[in-house]
Amino acid sequence: MATLKDVAKRAGVSPAAASRVLNQDRHFSVSDDTRMKIQEAAKALGYKGRVEHYQDTTLCIPKAKIGIFLLYNEILEIEDSYYQIVRLNIKSELEKKWITN
């Protein structure tokens, strides 16, 4: 696997310049010829940046549990709808993010 240093050496630039071009840094000023050399060197060497390198891997996230401690009973929750609304909105947001049981 090609490294950033390999790309920089092939393009004749510093690793910092290669990194900034490949990461599409808009604040980095470089000529179009140099930009093209770096991109061609990366393509020829099959360079993959960090994002592309891990893009093909599967991420396994263990299930987590989220608990809400209520300091009142169900009758008080019904009488004071504020806390019921808060609890139901938390539950709704977690369901939107697929974090439910």
Side-chain angles (χ1 to χ4, degrees), residues 41-101:
K43 186 175 180 179
L45 293 171
Y47 174 77
K48 288 186 176 183
R50 199 175 320 171
V51 173
E52 293 137 345
H53 179 72
Y54 291 111
Q55 193 170 15
D56 298 332
T57 61
T58 303
L59 182 62
C60 187
I61 300 172
K63 288 189 175 185
K65 293 189 179 205
I66 297 175
I68 300 174
F69 293 95
L70 305 175
L71 302 176
Y72 47 88
N73 61 28
E74 292 174 14
I75 295 171
L76 290 174
E77 182 179 309
I78 292 169
E79 290 176 356
D80 185 359
S81 63
Y82 172 78
Y83 293 106
Q84 184 179 27
I85 291 168
V86 169
R87 183 181 59 79
L88 292 175
N89 280 327
I90 291 170
K91 182 179 177 184
S92 173
E93 288 301 313
L94 292 172
E95 286 172 348
K96 286 180 189 175
K97 307 273 190 243
W98 302 321
I99 306 175
T100 59
N101 49 344

